[in-house]
Amino acid sequence: MSTLTSTVVTAEPPAVAGRRQPLHDWRPEDPDFWQATGAPIARRNLWVSIFAEHVGFSVWSLWSVTVLFLGPAYGIDPAGKFLLTAVPAALGAVLRLPYTLAVARFGGRRWTIISALLLLVPAVPMTVLLEPGVSYTTLMVLACLTGVGGGNFASSMANINLFYPQRLKGRALGLNAGGGNLGVPAVQLVGLAVLATAGAAYPRLVPAVYLPLIVLAALAAARWLDTVPGARNEPGALREAARDPHTWVMSLLYIGTFGSFIGFGFAFGQVLQLQFAERFPTPVDAAWLTFLGPLVGSLVRPLGGHLADRLGGARVTFWNFVAMAAGASTVLYAARERSFGLYLAGFLALFVFSGVGNGSTYKMIPAIFRARSADAVATGQRDPEAAARWARRMTGALIGIAGAIGAFGGVLVNIAFRQSFLSSGNADAAYLAFIGWYALCFAVTWVVYRRPRAGRLANV
């Protein structure tokens, strides 16, 4: 396996105005080139990438809305519905690594076109087949296929990473990630609009809304995106990262942050209807609140990165997991006391802190390898240039692995809810599992990155 890097290629500068020309010269670390040529090209690619990734996230999240339409005529119990929201998370997680590698293999522009058009694979049959009488097997296949939208995040981040200089990558990638994450509340708002106007009898209208947007994303990529010359998959980086213990520590933490965000985003509407059935007798009642959690979680993601810059990623991540454990405890208490206001406040806190944690954990990853490369230089094991190159190589590989494993957290959240409702008729066991996981995460963060000891990595 490999990770994505870029090699500077120099030739005649491309035309900036008029018809888009292929890039032949890309030197984002050169201040003069960046100011005169690079910045406007990078911004154009960033905004198109955000739109394409946003549509991909929305398609990935379609079943968080679709299950609200599946009334008694479909003959599916709550456990079956939680499986329908789990399988898209599973395929999306599996696809993240190959989608990352595809950017160098096919080129950023070409792969964005392909990955956008692949969204039609689930959206078109959903538009045709979603009606009473469709088999549960068919619904499971359709739900699984929406997982292709989850891979779009990985390839979009890998592509935009190539366009920006090191000093600006954090902001650019934060905007790209946040714009993509907003696809979750966006599709839920579309679902709310359909429920409020056409009613629960027309679930096919939700994917139908996205058909022109998918085509528009592919056309925008074809018209305005570029391919960075010299991008390549660096051989062996993923294998080396997989042998590094920090990869698995950070993957565990990312399950707790991003896994919670995407899992709760997929499950929130169903849980509201089951936990407070008397308050939400119809899907439209639940849909009014379903989008709020993913919305605030997406909007606060850059805050986590900002706080990590100021206070340190490990410190923010540690206290954030403490807050997530407190939020899950609040939800558990509110559910047992039947206090809807406190329940909603606790769940919204979980979304907020999952968003903050998304930003802070991603900030920890490059800091870990910067600290280790500095130690290697100080002890004479590597020269500064080789150490910096190793740190960038390992950072890219770890981000790819952690992103894929973290997305499996969405599967675990939905399976936890399913098993809890099956065994006891409520979600208490799931909330206890979440509290235990967040406690494990803050304990691991403390032991590995915060506990005072000789050899602790500096500035992580």
Side-chain angles (χ1 to χ4, degrees):
M1 298 293 286
S2 56
T3 190
L4 190 60
T5 60
S6 63
T7 304
V8 172
V9 176
T10 58
E12 291 300 315
V16 177
R19 186 173 181 270
R20 185 189 56 80
Q21 301 293 322
L23 289 181
H24 298 291
D25 176 24
W26 195 247
R27 291 170 283 120
E29 302 295 344
D30 181 336
D32 293 333
F33 175 87
W34 179 254
Q35 186 68 28
T37 303
I41 294 175
R43 280 195 299 269
R44 184 184 71 231
N45 279 267
L46 174 61
W47 295 120
V48 175
S49 177
I50 287 173
F51 173 64
E53 185 196 342
H54 177 93
V55 174
F57 247 95
S58 292
V59 171
W60 192 22
S61 309
L62 273 171
W63 284 86
S64 68
V65 175
T66 304
V67 292
L68 298 180
F69 289 82
L70 304 182
Y74 289 85
I76 304 172
D77 62 10
K81 291 181 182 180
F82 279 119
L83 279 182
L84 289 173
T85 54
V87 290
L91 183 62
V94 169
L95 290 179
R96 282 191 163 199
L97 279 179
Y99 267 56
T100 298
L101 303 177
V103 170
R105 176 65 179 83
F106 297 99
R109 173 177 172 269
R110 182 180 299 170
W111 182 250
T112 304
I113 297 169
I114 293 170
S115 61
L117 292 176
L118 283 173
L119 300 175
L120 293 172
V121 173
V124 170
M126 283 181 69
T127 302
V128 174
L129 298 175
L130 282 180
E131 60 182 14
V134 63
S135 71
Y136 185 72
T137 301
T138 300
L139 294 178
M140 282 289 287
V141 171
L142 293 177
C144 185
L145 289 175
T146 59
V148 297
N152 286 22
F153 173 85
S155 57
S156 179
M157 295 289 277
N159 188 41
I160 290 302
N161 181 63
L162 298 173
F163 280 93
Y164 280 83
Q166 289 293 331
R167 69 183 188 279
L168 299 177
K169 285 183 189 290
R171 179 176 178 272
L173 293 175
L175 287 171
N176 198 53
N181 288 354
L182 283 170
V184 182
V187 74
Q188 292 168 348
L189 283 171
V190 170
L192 171 61
V194 172
L195 284 168
T197 55
Y202 299 98
R204 63 178 63 189
L205 292 180
V206 181
V209 168
Y210 279 90
L211 295 180
L213 295 177
I214 292 169
V215 174
L216 182 60
L219 291 175
R223 176 64 182 85
W224 289 299
L225 282 191
D226 301 281
T227 292
V228 172
R232 61 187 179 88
N233 289 318
E234 192 168 325
L238 289 177
R239 282 196 299 270
E240 182 178 357
R243 293 192 292 267
D244 194 299
H246 288 281
T247 297
W248 303 107
V249 171
M250 293 308 303
S251 296
L252 181 146
L253 301 184
Y254 202 54
I255 288 173
T257 56
F258 180 75
S260 294
F261 170 79
I262 199 66
F264 292 150
F266 284 7
F268 190 36
Q270 286 189 82
V271 174
L272 283 177
Q273 282 196 289
L274 292 170
Q275 197 83 65
F276 295 92
E278 71 286 353
R279 185 178 286 266
F280 302 103
T282 68
V284 70
D285 295 313
W288 281 105
L289 291 175
T290 299
F291 74 93
L292 283 179
L295 177 63
V296 297
S298 300
L299 292 177
V300 302
R301 179 168 181 154
L303 176 63
H306 177 69
L307 289 174
D309 283 339
R310 293 190 59 188
L311 304 175
R315 177 184 295 178
V316 173
T317 298
F318 171 79
W319 287 110
N320 190 74
F321 277 121
V322 172
M324 291 185 75
S329 299
T330 301
V331 170
L332 174 62
Y333 174 80
R336 288 177 171 176
E337 295 298 316
R338 307 301 297 166
S339 172
F340 175 71
L342 186 60
Y343 182 89
L344 181 61
F347 231 121
L348 289 178
L350 282 174
F351 275 108
V352 168
F353 291 119
S354 68
V356 171
N358 282 340
S360 65
T361 49
Y362 253 44
K363 284 288 185 178
M364 287 176 65
I365 293 172
I368 289 168
F369 291 111
R370 280 197 302 268
R372 292 173 65 188
S373 64
D375 290 345
V377 171
T379 57
Q381 296 175 9
R382 284 191 172 97
D383 65 78
E385 183 178 347
R389 188 166 57 249
W390 175 82
R392 287 194 299 270
R393 180 174 186 262
M394 293 294 286
T395 295
L398 199 160
I399 285 175
I401 294 172
I405 295 175
F408 272 110
V411 183
L412 298 177
V413 166
N414 281 271
I415 293 299
F417 278 127
R418 178 182 184 273
Q419 292 305 118
S420 185
F421 278 107
L422 273 176
S423 61
S424 62
N426 59 51
D428 290 4
Y431 301 139
L432 287 170
F434 302 150
I435 294 168
W437 187 267
Y438 301 145
L440 173 65
C441 286
F442 70 66
V444 168
T445 305
W446 170 261
V447 170
V448 179
Y449 300 114
R450 294 289 299 158
R451 178 171 56 94
R453 69 184 193 281
R456 190 183 87 175
L457 295 176
N459 302 317
V460 173

